[in-house]
Amino acid sequence: MLSLNRLDKSKKSELGQFFTPTSICEYMSSMFSNLDGNISLLDPGCGLGSLFVSVIEESLLRGNNGILSIKGYDIDDSLDEEIINTIKLCHNRLNGACDISIQHSDFLLTDIKERFTHVIMNPPYKKISSKSEHRKYLKENIGLETGNLYSAFLAKAIKLTKKGGEIVAIIPRSFSNGLYFKPFREFLLKETSIEKIHLFDERNSAFSEDSVLQENIIIHLVKGKKQGKVLITSSPSGDFHRDKQTNTMTADGLTLRTVEFEKVVYPNDNDKFIHVASSEFQQKIIDRLSGFTSSLKDIDIQVSTGPVVDFRMKADLSMNPKTGYNPLIYPMHLKNGINWPIKDSKKPNAIKLSEKSKSSLWENKGFFLLTKRFSSKEEKRRIVATIYDSSPVGDLVGFENKLNVFHSNKKGLDYNLIKGLYVYLNSSLLDQYYRIFSGNTQVNATDLRALHYPNRLILEQIGKEIKNNILSQSQIDYKLNKVIENMSDEKSKKDPLNSQTKINEALEILKALGMPRAQQNERSALTLLALLDLKPNLSWSDIDSPMIGVTPIMDWVRDEYGKEYAPNSRETFRRQTLHQFLEAGLVAYNPDKPDRAPNSPKACYQAIPELLRLLNNFGSHEWEKLLKQFLSKRKTLRDKYAMKRNQSKVPLTIDGNLFELTPGDHSVLIKKIIEDFGPQFVPGSELIYVGDTENKTGYYQKDKLKKIGVTVNAKGKLPDVILHFTKKNWLILIESVTSHGPVDGKRYNELKELFKDSTAELVYVTAFLNRKAMAKYIADISWESEVWVADSPTHMIHFNGHKFLGPYKK
């Protein structure tokens, strides 16, 4: 694949575009159901061509001999050289059996007559003005009102797709709920069937190189097909790979479930919210709240962002209450109810009425409900609601901009209604739903408007049963569960929150037992619960120790906790969880027949009796004492790994001094660079810098670098090895590639900028352990750079230009 990031950040922001990582490109291409025969492919916002290249590769893997016609559009023409090279590579790959055309124009405003059998896309993400040409075009030509480039791109692409044609797109999840995207959802559901949806467990998984925290999904649609069941998959990250046995794309920890469409879009939902639950547990949460269908408008309540923007009204603010001033409420005042005023606070407590502030102050009467727009790490819930009862003295009140305020035309609400709303918003059930419903850690007024609520009568009835403003979490959850059970036949159903509680407790135990960070995850927690046969509705005193194999563990997790992992995840369970449990001495392997063959289908694991006795007491007053006794008789796996890691460090002697690099292939390659590459190609060079994955400043001759004009403050941007070839005054910048990328176009420009003041001329080198490792990155490597492969230490590969191992004049 090609270099993924040649644009500078300001231009990327301007265009709203982030290039798709290679493994995600490959996974997206694998989602197409049919890649047979002649294919006409559309790639709007094609960037460097990574997506359409992945479709070519996928079609070849499937044995397609048809002709591929590819049409790409991109508004940015600065990547012409890369696109031309991409097209050449594609023609060579297909022996000319393809027609590729790239047009540098605005996809939305371009008149396109052609229709396509396939679309693959990563559209730009950026809001578009209601008065823009784009909005006008969409309304006149597609009959759609939508306010973001990604939904506009997808809508036009759908219109350009032939009936029965397929669309695969990676897009933000924000379209799936809220009134803002309702017209787009209606259009999508009318024009296409949703075949597959892929979720990422972490918000930054899809575009991690760009530090993008937007929650993204990959969606597979078919134009004009009758809607059927939907396949929902999820993965912990965007690191996909091809399974050798099945020749399909997968990921470690991949889960999958097929659901009826009615579970994705509820038939009675006029807003057409798209619910995407990656597990049965999430589905039960959604189902449990599905009886609540009212909007805030239905119950005559509004929610607004606090109107006081303090830096615009500095002259009207006072640190302490005084005559003529009114209460000013900040998030800091929301702690166990309203805690106002706060003495010696860093924020003002009061605001006076003035020409500037009067439009931002509301009548201080009745009851308001306040939530923070930004929740802290310490808070267990995303939405934390507090009742404001107008008790602070003052005719008016100011609510600061980092609050959301529930009100009725800027006035307070009925007390019982507010109390009912307080219970609903603070419930554990709604918290879990919100995490499924929205990937945002911020909770804005728009997000709160998008939720469905109990009707007004139910909220008022809940409120009548509450005698004070502050309830414990168990009291809140009991009140809401009681309402849900009275509404339908829910008494016979398990409370889905029990499942999450058990998973959280298992995670707490794994941490307490000293398991490494890589085993403090949901997969390992569920494995522990399976080894103990601890179902969601049981307690820790009920645990058992069955002998159980890997596949039965996965089946148990599916049946009891509703999490179905892909069959090829067996090795992930074995190698990344059970192997560590065994090393930690928590389980026994084949206790019934220790000499059983390793590949036997009867291979099994069993929790040791000492672990059972310990965990029987989890949550009791004896727990801490028993845990300490248990750990005193064994080293934790975390300690063992740390010791093993220290023993495995890579020794490197520099100027007669011994340095120990972090164990791993990366450090082995660095050692070879210094001991093999240096003497062979730049003999007599001075070693300026050696990076280490644990300690970036492992060896750093800062003063020597300064003598040749270079001062670097951001050490993390340095290459892995720097050599100064004093004989020719060359500065050799070397990247050691084992898992991260080579000197590609982006890295070349970064290093060029970082060392721009160097009086020594620059040489860029990418080093690999072997040619197989190099093959993965061959298309990314920048021109005018060198490649050295450790298993052929006397050879050098040169990329373009008229020199071999030398700098290029500026």
Side-chain angles (χ1 to χ4, degrees):
M1 284 293 167
L2 299 163
S3 171
L4 296 178
N5 191 357
R6 270 278 313 275
L7 291 176
D8 61 52
K9 288 185 179 179
S10 60
K11 192 162 190 179
K12 286 172 70 175
S13 177
E14 177 191 335
L15 297 176
Q17 181 64 59
F18 298 94
F19 293 126
T20 320
T22 301
S23 70
I24 292 180
C25 291
E26 293 171 350
Y27 185 74
M28 289 173 67
S29 296
S30 75
M31 292 176 78
F32 285 116
S33 299
N34 180 18
L35 284 174
D36 297 330
N38 296 337
I39 291 170
S40 56
L41 175 71
L42 171 66
D43 184 353
C46 61
L48 291 162
S50 303
L51 280 169
F52 70 70
V53 169
S54 70
V55 176
I56 291 172
E57 291 296 331
E58 182 68 25
S59 67
L60 289 173
L61 279 168
R62 297 191 196 181
N64 182 19
N65 295 317
I67 296 173
L68 270 75
S69 173
I70 297 169
K71 185 68 78 73
Y73 291 85
D74 202 288
I75 200 168
D76 177 39
D77 60 3
S78 68
L79 303 171
D80 253 356
E81 185 180 339
E82 282 84 354
I83 281 289
I84 290 167
N85 288 330
T86 301
I87 293 172
K88 287 178 182 176
L89 287 168
C90 292
H91 278 134
N92 291 337
R93 187 83 174 89
L94 291 165
N95 296 318
C98 68
D99 174 29
I100 303 174
S101 170
I102 306 299
Q103 187 169 325
H104 289 300
S105 64
D106 188 325
F107 170 69
L108 284 183
L109 302 180
T110 304
D111 185 27
I112 303 170
K113 303 297 185 188
E114 189 177 349
R115 294 297 179 264
F116 302 89
T117 61
H118 294 75
V119 178
I120 191 164
M121 63 192 302
N122 170 13
Y125 173 68
K126 189 179 180 184
K127 288 184 179 179
I128 45 180
S129 165
S130 58
K131 297 179 181 178
S132 68
E133 285 184 84
H134 298 105
R135 290 286 274 265
K136 184 180 176 183
Y137 176 90
L138 287 165
K139 194 170 184 178
E140 291 177 356
N141 294 277
I142 300 178
L144 176 67
E145 278 283 356
T146 190
N148 202 293
L149 282 176
Y150 84 82
S151 51
F153 264 57
L154 185 52
K156 182 169 182 178
I158 288 169
K159 281 292 186 185
L160 294 173
T161 305
K162 294 178 180 179
K163 187 174 181 181
E166 300 181 61
I167 302 122
V168 175
I170 182 167
I171 54 175
R173 190 176 175 177
S174 53
F175 79 95
S176 62
N177 54 65
L179 300 180
Y180 185 71
F181 283 102
K182 182 179 177 180
F184 173 69
R185 286 194 300 276
E186 290 175 332
F187 170 85
L188 182 82
L189 296 171
K190 179 184 175 185
E191 296 282 336
T192 70
S193 70
I194 300 175
E195 299 292 301
K196 307 181 190 96
I197 299 175
H198 182 83
L199 303 167
F200 298 94
D201 293 348
E202 298 293 334
R203 291 186 304 142
N204 62 351
S205 294
F207 301 104
S208 55
E209 289 188 9
D210 294 306
S211 302
V212 177
L213 288 177
Q214 172 68 47
E215 185 175 8
N216 295 278
I217 64 169
I218 303 172
I219 191 165
H220 173 218
L221 310 167
V222 176
K223 174 83 174 278
K225 182 183 175 186
K226 185 179 178 182
Q227 182 65 62
K229 293 181 179 180
V230 181
L231 174 65
I232 299 174
T233 57
S234 71
S235 62
S237 70
D239 295 328
F240 297 98
H241 59 271
R242 193 166 292 276
D243 183 82
K244 292 178 182 177
Q245 291 183 327
T246 62
N247 198 31
T248 57
M249 293 297 293
T250 187
D252 289 340
L254 184 78
T255 67
L256 63 164
R257 59 190 298 265
T258 301
V259 299
E260 298 290 344
F261 183 67
E262 288 72 20
K263 293 290 186 181
V264 178
V265 179
Y266 288 113
N268 62 345
D269 184 2
N270 293 326
D271 295 325
K272 304 297 181 189
F273 285 3
I274 297 174
H275 299 91
V276 190
S278 64
S279 67
E280 280 301 314
F281 162 71
Q282 290 189 350
Q283 188 64 60
K284 287 173 184 175
I285 294 286
I286 294 169
D287 291 347
R288 200 161 173 84
L289 286 177
S290 62
F292 300 142
T293 58
S294 296
S295 67
L296 286 176
K297 186 177 180 181
D298 294 334
I299 51 180
D300 196 23
I301 293 177
Q302 292 103 49
V303 61
S304 307
T305 304
V308 175
V309 182
D310 55 6
F311 69 85
R312 294 178 184 164
M313 305 176 191
K314 286 184 178 178
D316 299 326
L317 306 181
S318 171
M319 299 306 290
N320 299 303
K322 55 186 179 182
T323 304
Y325 281 73
N326 299 283
L328 175 58
I329 308 300
Y330 278 85
M332 68 177 182
H333 295 114
L334 278 57
K335 191 172 183 180
N336 298 321
I338 297 295
N339 182 20
W340 182 94
I342 296 178
K343 191 178 179 182
D344 300 325
S345 71
K346 294 180 181 179
K347 296 283 187 183
N349 280 289
I351 183 170
K352 71 178 179 181
L353 179 64
S354 70
E355 282 300 313
K356 187 173 280 189
S357 70
K358 67 180 181 181
S359 62
S360 301
L361 300 181
W362 296 357
E363 191 176 350
N364 192 23
K365 287 183 181 177
F367 298 87
F368 298 90
L369 194 69
L370 311 179
T371 71
K372 299 175 185 178
R373 288 178 57 203
F374 306 94
S375 55
S376 68
K377 291 179 181 178
E378 292 76 29
E379 286 168 329
K380 293 181 179 179
R381 297 192 312 276
R382 293 272 175 88
I383 302 173
V384 180
T386 304
I387 295 174
Y388 175 83
D389 61 4
S390 303
S391 59
V393 178
D395 296 330
L396 301 170
V397 61
F399 296 113
E400 195 265 341
N401 193 247
K402 294 183 183 64
L403 292 171
N404 299 306
V405 188
F406 288 84
H407 60 96
S408 178
N409 297 319
K410 301 182 182 179
K411 296 182 184 296
L413 294 160
D414 172 78
Y415 188 33
N416 287 332
L417 181 61
I418 277 287
K419 285 189 291 181
L421 196 57
Y422 164 88
V423 166
Y424 182 66
L425 288 173
N426 282 322
S427 67
S428 299
L429 199 60
L430 184 74
D431 178 67
Q432 288 295 324
Y433 177 77
Y434 185 79
R435 290 167 192 270
I436 303 165
F437 177 81
S438 171
N440 296 326
T441 50
Q442 296 181 27
V443 182
N444 295 315
T446 304
D447 301 314
L448 294 169
R449 287 187 208 109
L451 293 172
H452 285 159
Y453 294 81
N455 63 41
R456 191 181 184 99
L457 286 174
I458 290 173
L459 290 173
E460 287 175 343
Q461 185 57 44
I462 294 171
K464 284 176 185 176
E465 296 174 7
I466 296 173
K467 304 305 177 188
N468 59 61
N469 292 356
I470 301 174
L471 299 176
S472 69
Q473 191 62 55
S474 60
Q475 289 173 319
I476 288 170
D477 293 338
Y478 174 78
K479 290 285 182 188
L480 190 64
N481 278 328
K482 186 178 173 184
V483 169
I484 292 170
E485 288 170 1
N486 289 337
M487 285 174 61
S488 60
D489 183 26
E490 286 281 346
K491 291 180 184 178
S492 60
K493 297 181 182 178
K494 298 174 185 175
D495 184 350
L497 292 177
N498 291 338
S499 299
Q500 193 60 49
T501 300
K502 286 294 183 297
I503 292 169
N504 292 342
E505 289 172 347
L507 286 168
E508 186 183 333
I509 287 167
L510 290 173
K511 188 175 181 180
L513 290 172
M515 295 303 295
R517 200 170 190 80
Q519 281 68 51
Q520 293 177 32
N521 53 40
E522 188 176 71
R523 179 194 65 246
S524 298
L526 288 166
T527 302
L528 178 63
L529 293 169
L531 287 161
L532 302 170
D533 196 22
L534 185 56
K535 298 178 178 68
N537 57 329
L538 299 179
S539 68
W540 288 93
S541 60
D542 299 320
I543 59 176
D544 199 357
S545 57
M547 286 186 289
I548 186 169
V550 180
T551 300
I553 284 173
M554 293 171 65
D555 292 343
W556 186 94
V557 166
R558 178 199 62 216
D559 296 341
E560 299 299 337
Y561 283 81
K563 189 90 172 180
E564 184 171 3
Y565 288 88
N568 53 21
S569 294
R570 281 190 295 271
E571 283 305 297
T572 305
F573 272 77
R574 193 192 319 275
R575 292 179 181 176
Q576 297 182 28
T577 292
L578 288 162
H579 176 76
Q580 287 76 17
F581 283 8
L582 202 59
E583 275 197 81
L586 304 181
V587 299
Y589 183 54
N590 289 327
D592 59 327
K593 196 174 189 303
D595 59 346
R596 182 176 285 135
N599 59 351
S600 169
K602 295 182 180 179
C604 62
Y605 302 81
Q606 185 178 40
I608 63 170
E610 297 93 326
L611 181 65
L612 244 66
R613 286 194 291 271
L614 171 67
L615 299 186
N616 269 146
N617 290 278
F618 177 72
S620 74
H621 65 278
E622 293 282 302
W623 165 249
E624 292 295 338
K625 183 181 81 173
L626 294 171
L627 175 65
K628 197 174 287 185
Q629 290 173 1
F630 182 84
L631 295 177
S632 69
K633 296 174 184 176
R634 65 193 68 222
K635 271 189 178 294
T636 69
L637 189 58
R638 202 159 47 212
D639 293 338
K640 287 181 183 178
Y641 276 14
M643 185 180 294
K644 188 176 179 182
R645 195 169 178 79
N646 287 331
Q647 291 170 348
S648 303
K649 286 192 172 180
V650 177
L652 179 65
T653 302
I654 303 173
D655 298 333
N657 297 314
L658 178 67
F659 287 81
E660 290 184 324
L661 301 177
T662 305
D665 288 345
H666 186 76
S667 296
V668 169
L669 181 52
I670 284 178
K671 182 178 171 73
K672 288 178 181 291
I673 290 168
I674 295 166
E675 295 179 354
D676 297 342
F677 169 84
Q680 177 71 35
F681 292 100
V682 283
S685 293
E686 281 190 305
L687 183 61
I688 300 292
Y689 174 78
V690 180
D692 187 16
T693 53
E694 280 188 355
N695 178 11
K696 197 67 181 172
T697 55
Y699 179 85
Y700 190 12
Q701 299 265 36
K702 199 172 184 179
D703 292 339
K704 287 188 178 180
L705 200 59
K706 197 171 182 180
K707 280 182 182 178
I708 54 177
V710 180
T711 302
V712 180
N713 294 320
K715 295 163 188 154
K717 293 186 177 181
L718 291 170
D720 295 307
V721 179
I722 302 175
L723 296 168
H724 184 206
F725 190 28
T726 51
K727 183 179 177 181
K728 293 191 176 183
N729 197 25
W730 293 351
L731 201 62
I732 317 294
L733 310 176
I734 309 169
E735 292 287 13
S736 163
V737 179
T738 51
S739 59
H740 291 89
V743 179
D744 59 7
K746 173 179 176 285
R747 186 63 172 141
Y748 186 99
N749 289 330
E750 281 179 356
L751 292 172
K752 186 177 178 182
E753 176 65 23
L754 195 63
F755 292 90
K756 65 183 178 182
D757 298 323
S758 170
T759 57
E761 295 181 290
L762 306 179
V763 178
Y764 307 88
V765 180
T766 302
F768 296 98
L769 278 169
N770 50 55
R771 276 183 284 185
K772 184 179 179 182
M774 178 185 71
K776 183 179 176 183
Y777 296 98
I778 195 73
D780 290 346
I781 295 165
S782 173
W783 299 118
E784 301 183 3
S785 71
E786 325 291 334
V787 170
W788 180 75
V789 182
D791 65 359
S792 301
T794 59
H795 297 276
M796 183 83 80
I797 302 165
H798 183 65
F799 275 69
N800 204 16
H802 59 278
K803 291 178 179 288
F804 179 73
L805 186 58
Y808 284 76
K809 300 296 182 184
K810 295 178 183 176

